[in-house]
Amino acid sequence: MTSDPRDVLNRPARPADFTLRYGEHPDQVADVRLPAVAGAPLVLFIHGGFWRSEWDRTHAGPLAADLAARGYAVATIEYRRTGQPGGGWPGTFSDVASAAVAVPDLLAKEVAHRGLVPVSVDRPILAGHSAGGHLALWYAAVAPDAIGGVVALAPVADLARAYELDLDDGAVAALLGGAPDAVPTAYASADPMVNLPSNVRTVVLHGTDDPIVPVAISRAYCQRARRAGDDTTLVELAGVEHFAVIDPESAAWPAVLAAFGTVTRGEAVPGD
């Protein structure tokens, strides 16, 4: 285990097997890591970083490499972020939607072209951390029939509340262009909390000692999702902070793996 939770953000990982391009912008790409087994389920992973350009998909390398070693095909999606031309509302969201549609087919074609073992790309698992967890929850509500399940790790699941709490010094306002009363249409479209039910099997994992995205946000989201009729489970990880849920070397990692097992194979997961 590492002493500094942020070590995972700079830890080297197995390089991607190849990178797919789903659009013309330099950040409209996805890194793919493949397992050795045929018919592996596909995970589309969306990285966090409060939607800001300072953070890219590189820091999700250890997570993606570990999942690939355990039999998942993993495509780590990049997207335009705030601080970049076209980032924020609606460009960040349209990128995620475009990637979710295009990457599975692109991956299947590339695997066939390279003569690699085939991947099961139908109804992939959508997963994400922090801001990426928000985007995973958002897209699941937009296109539930295309998604096999969601694993949301410490997600920013309530944008209005995140704005009130001023998470990461105005990250939500930077994403959507202002306060909820200034841009109500953006919040109505982008906030997972107000777009329920999603009708997608969802597991949310959140550490109780998370100082960056409060666990109370996930508690409120999961409670509302279940009231709306969704099959949503919250797994609270006692004593766990924000980055442990993307760190294969952390004590929280078995719970993350269990969540992926739940949404891919219907295995039981301890939750609320």
Side-chain angles (χ1 to χ4, degrees):
M1 298 181 189
T2 58
S3 57
D4 183 350
R6 291 178 177 266
D7 284 350
V8 67
L9 301 178
N10 299 301
R11 188 182 305 149
R14 163 194 156 190
D17 293 301
F18 51 84
T19 297
L20 299 170
R21 177 165 297 283
Y22 66 87
E24 296 182 357
H25 189 276
D27 281 332
Q28 291 172 332
V29 295
D31 289 340
V32 177
R33 291 173 173 86
L34 297 174
V37 297
L42 173 59
V43 174
L44 302 177
F45 189 81
I46 311 171
H47 72 83
F50 279 109
W51 314 279
R52 299 189 190 274
S53 60
E54 290 86 345
W55 296 99
D56 64 17
R57 67 193 184 281
T58 305
H59 73 267
L63 173 147
D66 190 88
L67 288 177
R70 296 176 185 274
Y72 296 91
V74 185
T76 308
I77 295 168
E78 195 56 271
Y79 52 93
R80 290 172 293 172
R81 304 171 302 286
T82 59
Q84 297 174 300
W89 177 262
T92 293
F93 296 80
S94 64
D95 282 1
V96 169
S98 295
V101 171
V103 166
D105 287 341
L106 291 170
L107 190 154
K109 291 176 182 177
E110 186 66 18
V111 163
H113 174 72
R114 292 171 178 254
L116 302 173
V117 294
V119 172
S120 177
V121 299
D122 183 49
R123 301 184 77 240
I125 301 304
L126 196 59
H129 173 238
S130 195
H134 153 259
L135 291 168
L137 294 172
W138 166 79
Y139 186 72
V142 170
D145 292 340
I147 301 300
V150 171
V151 177
L153 308 174
V156 188
D158 184 342
L159 295 186
R161 181 59 178 151
Y163 173 83
E164 292 173 357
L165 294 172
D166 195 29
L167 296 189
D168 202 53
D169 297 323
V172 176
L175 175 71
L176 297 184
D181 58 353
V183 286
T185 300
Y187 278 83
S189 299
D191 197 341
M193 184 66 90
V194 297
N195 286 286
L196 292 167
S198 71
N199 298 309
V200 175
R201 175 71 173 106
T202 298
V203 179
V204 176
L205 294 94
H206 212 131
T208 60
D209 289 3
D210 190 332
I212 295 175
V213 180
V215 67
I217 289 180
S218 284
R219 289 172 182 159
Y221 172 81
C222 291
Q223 183 179 54
R224 182 174 294 186
R226 289 193 296 266
R227 285 203 303 260
D230 274 343
D231 183 0
T232 300
T233 299
L234 172 63
V235 180
E236 292 193 29
L237 303 173
V240 169
E241 48 68 55
H242 191 65
F243 299 104
V245 292
I246 61 168
D247 187 352
E249 295 183 11
S250 77
W253 191 242
V256 176
L257 295 176
F260 279 100
T262 294
V263 297
T264 55
R265 297 182 293 275
E267 297 170 357
V269 60
D272 58 350

